[in-house]
Amino acid sequence: GDFGLIGLAVMGQNLILNINDHGFTVVAYNRTVSKVEYFLQNEAKGTNIIGASSINDLVTKLKRPRKIMLLVKAGSAVDDFIEQIIPHLEPGDIIIDGGNSHYPDTIRRCKYLEEKGFLFIGCGVSGGEDGARYGPSLMPGGSLAAWEHVRPIFQAIAAKAGGEPCCDWVGETGAGHYVKMVHNGIEYGDMQLICEAYHLMRGLGLSHEEIGNVFEEWNKGELDSFLIEITKNIVKYKDNDGAPIIEKIKDVAGQKGTGKWTAISSLELGVPVTLIGEAVYARALSALKGER
């Protein structure tokens, strides 16, 4: 196989199918091995995708230098898999972390693996499930020596803008995940602006239908984007009783941490990103529903 991928949640499955579409042979593995069998018999049926029954099986099925991508939950799961893979690798083999890892973890893992003679890439992946399937934006950073080996695959599967792939080398150690973090922080800002625009229009007495129409108009101009498009759909969506469903949803936002990390980093560097900071605080405030 040309490329190994561990983690068969939706993102992992879609990325595997995308890589397969571009003529590369993918070896797929999941901790719960039954998921590999199910994937091969369903979504991956009729493709060249190969299943692996263990880490050892995965590694032996890959051409050198081996390229193994992890799409597992950020945190200890990434370290656990790295420890499981290491004994099976040979010098120059490449591990890629495609999760939303915090960049200091990526810096640590990159140094750790390079000291052992391996290569590491921390890669931001953006575009959600559809992006993974039909063209994500990829932000790879880490061991520069690994780039030439993964470049043909990454640039083939990435989204294209003006004919150029939405993927290039970002920099060393944690640079890829740092860029992804800032990218997510910017999205926090976008979402907060959309919320405040909605809030203002409600304050002006516009109906949900009218607000939806405003977002629809905006989506035809320079604000054309995924977030504006789904906001239009959400605002107009009616519950079974005909009432706008948005009025029935608790105004409490969760967060996975990338916006918070961006704000913390900006404070450490003395670079004001007030919009992102305020957006993180707005989410924190929304979570304090009882106190509001």
Side-chain angles (χ1 to χ4, degrees):
D2 302 307
F3 196 83
L5 197 142
I6 298 176
L8 291 182
V10 181
M11 286 292 288
Q13 290 190 19
N14 283 358
L15 209 60
I16 290 169
L17 293 167
N18 184 358
I19 297 168
N20 175 78
D21 284 348
H22 288 86
F24 301 99
T25 309
V26 190
V27 184
Y29 175 71
N30 194 72
R31 194 183 53 182
T32 313
V33 181
S34 58
K35 210 161 183 181
V36 179
E37 283 308 307
Y38 186 86
F39 178 54
L40 292 178
Q41 287 160 17
N42 292 275
E43 295 85 355
K45 203 172 172 65
T47 67
N48 297 321
I49 295 161
I50 303 165
S53 57
S54 67
I55 297 272
N56 186 45
D57 187 33
L58 169 82
V59 172
T60 52
K61 284 177 173 168
L62 291 171
K63 288 183 214 150
R64 298 207 51 217
R66 299 179 182 93
K67 297 169 276 295
I68 301 170
M69 187 164 188
L70 299 170
L71 269 177
V72 298
K73 196 174 189 304
S76 60
V78 178
D79 291 309
D80 293 346
F81 270 116
I82 288 172
E83 289 306 320
Q84 286 177 47
I85 296 165
I86 283 175
H88 305 282
L89 297 182
E90 292 170 80
D93 285 349
I94 302 159
I95 296 179
I96 304 154
D97 174 14
N100 262 333
S101 292
H102 195 194
Y103 71 92
D105 289 338
T106 307
I107 295 170
R108 168 176 60 78
R109 290 168 185 147
C110 194
K111 287 177 179 164
Y112 177 67
L113 283 159
E114 284 180 353
E115 279 163 10
K116 293 186 178 297
F118 310 121
L119 301 174
F120 186 70
I121 291 176
C123 183
V125 179
S126 183
E129 296 169 12
D130 274 1
R133 184 66 188 86
Y134 301 109
S137 166
L138 299 171
M139 303 152 237
S143 313
L144 182 58
W147 175 229
E148 285 311 316
H149 297 291
V150 302
R151 189 220 291 259
I153 299 175
F154 275 16
Q155 292 194 335
I157 66 167
K160 308 292 183 290
E164 292 288 314
C166 299
C167 169
D168 213 336
W169 189 251
V170 180
E172 57 193 35
T173 63
H177 278 138
Y178 191 90
V179 170
K180 174 67 161 90
M181 173 192 79
V182 175
H183 161 105
N184 282 20
I186 292 167
E187 192 172 40
Y188 275 52
D190 282 340
M191 291 167 84
Q192 184 58 25
L193 287 168
I194 289 170
C195 292
E196 293 185 14
Y198 167 82
H199 183 69
L200 283 169
M201 287 190 265
R202 285 295 287 152
L204 293 168
L206 274 72
S207 70
H208 286 84
E209 194 63 32
E210 288 169 324
I211 294 171
N213 291 338
V214 172
F215 279 112
E216 194 163 4
E217 278 305 307
W218 285 352
N219 202 45
K220 291 174 186 168
E222 62 178 358
L223 293 180
D224 165 39
S225 65
F226 174 68
L227 291 179
I228 297 283
E229 183 187 350
I230 60 169
T231 304
K232 167 200 79 178
N233 295 336
I234 292 162
V235 171
K236 288 189 167 196
Y237 196 87
K238 294 196 174 41
D239 201 4
N240 299 333
D241 62 2
I245 202 157
I246 195 167
E247 287 295 316
K248 301 186 177 186
I249 298 168
K250 259 192 188 169
D251 57 341
V252 174
Q255 50 180 308
K256 288 181 181 170
T258 41
K260 180 181 80 176
W261 298 338
T262 308
I264 291 169
S265 180
S266 76
L267 288 165
E268 286 168 344
L269 296 169
V271 177
V273 285
T274 47
L275 174 64
I276 297 173
E278 288 298 338
V280 175
Y281 287 137
R283 289 201 191 193
L285 187 60
S286 79
L288 301 171
K289 189 157 178 72
E291 293 166 54
R292 284 193 280 126

